[in-house]
Amino acid sequence: MRLTIESIETIHETAREFLAAIDGKGCCLAFYAPMGAGKTTFIKALCEVMGVKDVITSPTFAIVNEYTDGRGRPVFHFDFYRIKKLEEVYDMGGEEYFYSGCYCFMEWPEMVEEALPDETIRITITPQEDGTRIIEF
């Protein structure tokens, strides 16, 4: 499937469309995109649409942030950019998160590809010259 984020003003509309499209298809979401493409911004919009009231930031140094959605369920936001070895993911209990049944939004999943569940939804964000972003999954 392919969606377009036309602008920052319409990102929540695209986030709603995205969540409707993936509903029931899996909760591990791996976001592939170059630096500055908008991974964190889109994940923030997804969380806001899901009713998260917490401050949503990239967990670059913490590796994982936990939020609570509007229904009281945990949402996990990972940034694997700083992971050097796959063992780090296992040591932090990565599999427990991935198989928890809770949404796991993952930035830089290339670093941990081997640990991801088979049913992980892989999303590519591609910035366009006109400032829009193409979301493919």
Side-chain angles (χ1 to χ4, degrees):
M1 183 161 205
R2 181 180 176 137
L3 299 171
T4 302
I5 301 172
E6 297 292 339
S7 68
I8 197 72
E9 289 79 20
T10 64
I11 196 168
H12 290 90
E13 178 183 321
T14 306
R16 275 189 283 283
E17 288 178 55
F18 177 84
L19 289 169
I22 65 158
D23 188 36
K25 293 182 175 65
C27 19
C28 284
L29 304 158
F31 291 84
Y32 298 85
M35 186 79 71
K39 294 180 293 293
T40 302
T41 304
F42 190 56
I43 290 170
K44 181 178 181 193
L46 292 170
C47 288
E48 289 170 350
V49 166
M50 294 170 65
V52 171
K53 300 294 182 205
D54 305 301
V55 175
I56 303 158
T57 59
S58 180
T60 302
F61 295 101
I63 300 177
V64 62
N65 287 343
E66 181 176 344
Y67 313 123
T68 303
D69 73 11
R71 296 182 183 171
R73 297 174 300 196
V75 176
F76 302 107
H77 180 190
F78 297 87
D79 184 331
F80 293 121
Y81 186 76
R82 296 169 32 96
I83 293 292
K84 300 293 185 237
K85 294 185 279 181
L86 192 57
E87 289 79 29
E88 293 177 64
V89 175
Y90 295 120
D91 290 346
M92 67 174 276
E95 289 181 308
E96 291 178 38
Y97 291 109
F98 302 158
Y99 292 97
S100 68
C102 300
Y103 276 107
C104 292
F105 298 130
M106 297 174 272
E107 299 184 44
W108 302 105
E110 299 89 342
M111 310 302 191
V112 300
E113 191 70 41
E114 295 173 41
L116 300 180
D118 291 340
E119 61 275 3
T120 298
I121 299 170
R122 288 161 172 81
I123 301 104
T124 303
I125 301 175
T126 308
Q128 304 298 297
E129 287 186 24
D130 64 359
T132 61
R133 304 289 194 265
I134 303 296
I135 310 288
E136 294 179 288
F137 54 102

